Amino acid sequence: CLPNDEMEEDIIPCSEGCQEGKCIEPPKNLVYNEGFELGIGGWTSSEFFKIITTDKHSGQKSASMSNARMDSTHLIPLMAGHKYKISYWVKLLHEGDVIISGLGNDENPVAYKTGEAQVGQWTKIEYEQLIDSSGAYSLYLKCFYMTEDTSSACYIDDVSIMEAYSAHCYNSIKDI
C-alpha cells in the first residue's frame, strides 16, 4: 500500500481496503432488502411497521415505524475481530422521537447506539462496531418517543452493514 503522496503516474487506486499489501474488492452491503424495495421481506416487526411509497430517501419505498422495533430476519454472518460500518437513513417526524440501532444475537446482546437525527429531514446515521465473536447477527432498529407525546414515528431507508477498511491499496496499471 502506498500513501497518496507517494503515488506514481502508473499507479491507480483499486479499492478502499488492503490486506497484506494486496488489492481486495470493495466491501459489499450485507443487508438483505436494504431499501425495502421487496416489501417487508427480510425484516420483522410489530403491527406498527409498514412499507410506504410516499416518502423515501432513494428508490421507490421506505419503512415507517411508530413506537416499534424492526429486526432483520436475514441473519448476517460477521467475523470476530472485524470492524463493520453500520449506516442507514432516517427521518424523524416529531420532536422527541429517538432512533437507536445495534447488532446482536443469542450469544451477544445488542449494544444499542443512539442516532443523532433531525426532525423532518432525511439524516444519515453511521457508526462502526467491532465484533467480538463470529456468528450470525441480526440488525435491530428501534424508533420511540422521549416526550409525553405517545406518538413517535420515523422513516428508515438504505440500511447498510459493510466491513470497514482503514487502509487504501493500489495496483500498478502494468498488472492490469
Side-chain angles (χ1 to χ4, degrees):
C1 292
L2 296 173
N4 286 338
D5 56 63
E6 293 180 20
M7 286 180 55
E8 299 175 21
E9 284 184 33
D10 65 341
I11 295 182
I12 58 171
C14 65
S15 80
E16 297 229 353
C18 178
Q19 292 178 344
E20 298 176 12
K22 297 180 182 177
C23 294
I24 57 175
E25 292 296 316
K28 303 240 185 308
N29 190 355
L30 302 173
V31 176
Y32 174 75
N33 193 17
E34 69 276 7
F36 307 98
E37 301 303 315
L38 303 174
I40 61 168
W43 297 92
T44 185
S45 184
S46 65
E47 72 264 17
F48 303 110
F49 163 77
K50 63 184 176 182
I51 303 302
I52 62 170
T53 58
T54 55
D55 198 343
K56 62 261 178 203
H57 175 256
S58 70
Q60 300 299 312
K61 300 175 183 176
S62 69
S64 172
M65 294 176 16
S66 179
N67 296 334
R69 185 180 92 186
M70 179 171 67
D71 307 343
S72 62
T73 57
H74 176 77
L75 296 177
I76 303 161
L78 303 178
M79 295 176 50
H82 289 235
K83 191 180 285 186
Y84 293 87
K85 184 185 293 184
I86 295 97
S87 70
Y88 56 94
W89 287 84
V90 61
K91 182 176 183 179
L92 303 178
L93 301 184
H94 305 105
E95 288 293 333
D97 288 349
V98 175
I99 183 74
I100 60 175
S101 62
L103 293 169
N105 60 24
D106 291 340
E107 292 81 36
N108 299 285
V110 180
Y112 282 107
K113 306 270 187 199
T114 302
E116 301 280 332
Q118 300 295 316
V119 173
Q121 65 184 12
W122 285 99
T123 306
K124 186 175 186 178
I125 306 295
E126 186 173 64
Y127 62 92
E128 291 184 355
Q129 183 171 339
L130 180 65
I131 299 301
D132 294 329
S133 64
S134 295
Y137 285 74
S138 286
L139 174 66
Y140 301 93
L141 295 161
K142 185 174 182 180
C143 179
F144 61 95
Y145 56 89
M146 296 292 290
T147 64
E148 292 181 20
D149 179 4
T150 58
S151 61
S152 71
C154 61
Y155 300 150
I156 307 285
D157 205 357
D158 302 321
V159 182
S160 172
I161 298 175
M162 296 185 193
E163 191 160 1
Y165 296 117
S166 59
H168 291 280
C169 185
Y170 295 89
N171 194 18
S172 172
I173 291 176
K174 296 172 189 170
D175 295 336
I176 298 177

